[in-house]
Amino acid sequence: MLNISKQWKRLRDWWASPLGVAFLKSEEAHVKKMLPQLFGYHLLVLGEPVFLQCVQESPITHRVALHPYTSTLATSSTLTARHDKLPIISDGVDLIYLAHSLPFIKNPHEVLREVFRVLIGEGHVIISNFNPWSIWGLWRWCVHYIKRVPWDGDFISVARLKDWLALLGFDVLQVNRYFFRPPISHPVLLQRLAWLEKCGSWFWPFFGAGYVLLARKRVITLTPIRPIFDTQSKVLEAIGIAPVQSD
């Protein structure tokens, strides 16, 4: 438990680094584009409290962040809870923002099942992840043995995530990839390479270091089926043949 807690602490520190801040700013721009059409009463952020800034422009005013290890940061909008066992009633949340939690949780399938459970019918989920098919993914394979965040996480591909969501009953509506700069932490170099963002979005969008995916919880409508004998009787009457009456 202590080692897992330290990993989350190191990840929180990484999001505060120059590279983490630049990455978060790029993700925020893409998340904000998805928000205007997503309405409701309750918005849940599963991830670091810093991701609350990405949903500040949401029309949903009640926003809460849940994180497994935020006891020292707990506030009215940041609570501590496991993502695979959400303390929330079923069908009670309109929008969930699952922000870079799946790569660092051992049972991501359970997290997605919990997301499906607590979402209302036709509710939405925004999921952000690191893209394994990118320069960042290649760098991860080179340094994964170092066990440093975020490179020690499981980078989940879009195709793999889509398969998981389809099995649960989600319809994927949109996928946007972003951040085309290499994983360097020097703030001056990051600024000088900002031109790669526009070029990457035009010429190699598939290889963005991160992606945000928007999906909707599918609701299956059951259509009542008439008894076959009732249907046959109406057909016979329509063509002028009296149905056989049973004793």
Side-chain angles (χ1 to χ4, degrees), residues 5-115:
S5 180
K6 286 183 177 180
Q7 182 191 38
W8 286 109
K9 175 61 170 61
R10 290 196 299 266
L11 186 61
R12 184 172 299 136
D13 293 339
W14 184 84
W15 285 113
S17 69
L19 181 57
V21 170
F23 191 95
L24 179 60
K25 185 177 180 180
S26 182
E27 178 170 328
E28 181 180 354
H30 285 273
V31 172
K32 284 183 177 180
K33 294 178 182 178
M34 298 178 173
L35 295 176
Q37 304 301 320
L38 305 179
F39 301 97
Y41 298 99
H42 306 291
L43 192 161
L44 183 64
V45 177
L46 300 181
E48 294 292 338
V50 69
F51 285 100
L52 280 168
Q53 72 183 55
C54 297
V55 294
Q56 288 300 310
E57 297 183 8
S58 170
I60 304 176
T61 56
H62 182 237
R63 313 176 192 116
V64 176
L66 291 184
H67 193 277
Y69 301 96
T70 55
S71 57
T72 59
L73 300 175
T75 65
S76 58
S77 58
T78 305
L79 305 175
T80 303
R82 290 178 54 173
H83 291 173
D84 57 347
K85 296 184 182 297
L86 296 175
I88 301 173
I89 62 173
S90 300
D91 305 310
V93 180
D94 302 276
L95 174 61
I96 294 179
Y97 177 24
L98 186 52
H100 293 279
S101 291
L102 293 180
F104 307 99
I105 293 179
K106 292 183 178 180
N107 49 351
H109 300 87
E110 288 299 322
V111 176
L112 292 176
R113 288 190 185 97
E114 281 292 274
V115 168

Side-chain angles (χ1 to χ4, degrees), residues 147-165:
K147 302 300 180 183
R148 294 176 57 184
V149 295
W151 317 114
D152 57 347
D154 182 16
F155 287 17
I156 302 171
S157 68
V158 173
R160 185 178 170 195
L161 182 59
K162 282 184 175 181
D163 288 341
W164 292 353
L165 293 173

